[in-house]
């Protein structure tokens, strides 16, 4: 039986830029909430690839009994993929989910500021570490830019970090919070605009410590993960988590934290940097601290 969708409130037309792991998860989240979605990618090949991956993800949810086959079709009908940013002109909420690169995100938000026509539209960044205040300088409406940090997998993880900049209008913060908790059904924690926000400021030093243990030969990835899972009750060990997040993402967040605070515990270990250079990015590349066959270690 098809479930009733929540009241979407005043935001019904959404846009997502970037359809990597995080971006496509946000697209699926919006579609399953009954929202109209325009998803912008770089190339026509990425359009086809993203549409196929979305269908596969929704299909897995249907096979697990989380949604019906009718809902899968309805979700796909709600999403339009495009290579033209100007297709986002009528959106009420647009979130960028491009890789964690300050210059790229800042440039993109400046472009979106000139494209999105609704003067009340919310522009959001899904950054996991970068300054919202710094990126807001690229727009003519810094009061409407806010950080919205989802966690992967986006449809499954209930938490979202909401980060206003020094410029963000309090009314925009409240409107975004209602959007996240209402139709999207998320739990929201608010963070000050400082690198790493709440979760990554605590999480990343822990992950880097685990990498250093492997690097020094003190313990293997398997031993470290078993220790934290069986000894501390963590659902997944730190090295498996690094693989799931991606070496490149962990390294980028660590770089941003170290740049801001200059604390040695935030500096990415050489082993992490070498693995990024080798293209061993974790589960998404098939090799990290573990090797993966069909997504399984």
């Amino acid at each position: 039986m098809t479930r009733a969708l929540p009241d979407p409130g005043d935001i019904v037309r959404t846009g997502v830029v970037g359809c990597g792991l995080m971006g496509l998860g946000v697209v699926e989240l919006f579609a399953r909430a009954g929202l109209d979605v325009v998803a912008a990618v770089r190339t026509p090949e990425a359009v086809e690839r993203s549409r196929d991956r979305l269908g596969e993800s929704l299909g897995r949810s249907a096979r697990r009994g989380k949604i019906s086959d009718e809902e899968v079709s309805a979700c796909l009908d709600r999403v339009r993929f495009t290579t033209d940013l100007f297709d986002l002109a009528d959106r009420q909420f647009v979130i960028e989910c491009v890789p964690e690169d300050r210059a790229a995100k800042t440039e993109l938000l400046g472009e979106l500021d000139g494209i999105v026509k609704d003067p009340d539209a919310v522009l959001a960044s899904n950054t996991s570490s970068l300054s919202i205040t710094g990126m807001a300088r690229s727009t003519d409406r810094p009061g409407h830019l806010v950080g919205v940090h989802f966690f992967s997998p986006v449809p499954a993880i209930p938490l979202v970090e909401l980060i206003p900049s020094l410029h963000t209008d309090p009314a925009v913060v409240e409107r975004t919070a209602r959007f996240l908790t209402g139709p999207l059904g998320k739990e929201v924690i608010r963070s000050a605009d400082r690198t790493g926000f709440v979760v990554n400021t605590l999480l990343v030093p822990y992950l880097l410590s685990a990498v250093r243990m492997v690097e020094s030969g003190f313990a293997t990835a398997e031993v470290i993960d078993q220790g934290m899972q069986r000894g501390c009750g963590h659902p997944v060990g730190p090295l498996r988590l690094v693989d799931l997040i991606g070496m490149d993402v962990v390294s980028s967040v660590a770089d941003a934290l170290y740049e801001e605070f200059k604390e040695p515990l935030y500096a990415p270990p050489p082993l992490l940097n070498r693995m990024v250079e080798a293209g061993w990015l974790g589960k998404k590349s098939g090799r990290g601290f573990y090797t993966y066959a069909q997504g399984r270690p």
Side-chain angles (χ1 to χ4, degrees):
M1 187 175 190
T2 302
R3 64 185 176 86
L5 292 170
D7 181 359
D10 66 330
I11 294 177
V12 294
R13 299 187 306 278
T14 63
V16 180
V17 183
C19 283
L21 179 65
M22 292 299 297
L24 201 62
V26 175
V27 170
E28 180 175 340
L29 176 70
F30 287 176
R32 288 174 63 169
L35 304 171
D36 179 75
V37 190
V38 174
V41 295
R42 286 185 177 273
T43 66
E45 293 76 17
V47 166
E48 296 304 318
R49 185 167 59 248
S50 299
R51 184 182 292 115
D52 290 345
R53 288 172 56 215
L54 177 61
E56 291 168 3
S57 180
L58 290 167
R60 284 193 297 271
S61 294
R63 289 191 293 275
R64 294 168 183 166
K66 296 181 178 179
I67 58 176
S68 67
D69 291 336
E70 292 79 8
E71 286 176 298
V72 171
S73 296
C75 287
L76 291 171
D77 288 343
R78 295 184 189 113
V79 180
R80 176 162 58 98
F81 291 95
T82 181
T83 59
D84 189 350
L85 286 179
F86 282 89
D87 287 337
L88 300 166
D90 68 339
R91 303 290 93 181
Q92 297 167 291
F93 182 96
V94 179
I95 183 167
E96 66 79 14
C97 298
V98 301
E100 195 77 347
D101 180 281
R102 187 191 308 270
K105 286 180 178 287
T106 300
E107 181 180 357
L108 174 58
L109 288 166
E111 287 186 68
L112 292 172
D113 182 44
I115 289 170
V116 179
K117 300 304 181 185
D118 185 345
D120 295 321
V122 177
L123 298 180
S125 172
N126 186 50
T127 177
S128 55
S129 64
L130 300 175
S131 166
I132 308 301
T133 303
M135 290 189 285
R137 292 185 298 179
S138 67
T139 78
D140 290 330
R141 43 179 158 181
H144 285 258
L145 177 65
V146 65
V148 177
H149 179 210
F150 290 100
F151 295 86
S152 182
V154 177
I157 301 297
L159 189 73
V160 179
E161 288 182 305
L162 177 59
I163 311 101
S165 78
L166 296 178
H167 302 291
T168 309
D169 187 328
V172 171
V173 179
E174 295 307 317
R175 185 186 186 201
T176 304
R178 289 195 302 270
F179 174 61
L180 294 171
T181 58
L184 302 186
K186 296 296 187 182
E187 299 174 20
V188 173
I189 58 173
R190 303 192 187 194
S191 172
D193 183 19
R194 49 170 278 172
T195 298
F197 315 132
V198 173
V199 173
N200 279 331
T201 298
L202 294 169
L203 176 64
V204 170
Y206 160 66
L207 299 181
L208 299 181
S209 293
V211 175
R212 292 188 186 102
M213 275 191 170
V214 174
E215 185 175 53
S216 70
F218 180 79
T220 65
E222 292 85 352
V223 167
I224 294 166
D225 285 348
Q226 184 181 17
M228 296 310 295
Q229 286 183 268
R230 302 302 187 189
C232 296
H234 290 198
V236 64
L239 283 316
R240 278 286 305 280
L241 185 54
V242 171
D243 274 5
L244 291 171
I245 295 170
M247 307 290 170
D248 51 341
V249 176
V250 174
S251 180
S252 293
V253 175
D255 281 334
L257 285 162
Y258 184 72
E259 180 182 345
E260 175 137 313
F261 300 111
K262 300 298 188 292
E263 293 282 353
L265 77 164
Y266 294 129
L271 175 60
L272 184 65
N273 292 334
R274 294 297 87 76
M275 293 176 81
V276 172
E277 290 172 349
W280 296 1
L281 305 181
K283 184 178 179 180
K284 61 188 174 185
S285 71
R287 184 167 185 176
F289 286 101
Y290 299 84
T291 56
Y292 295 82
Q294 297 181 339
R296 295 184 177 276

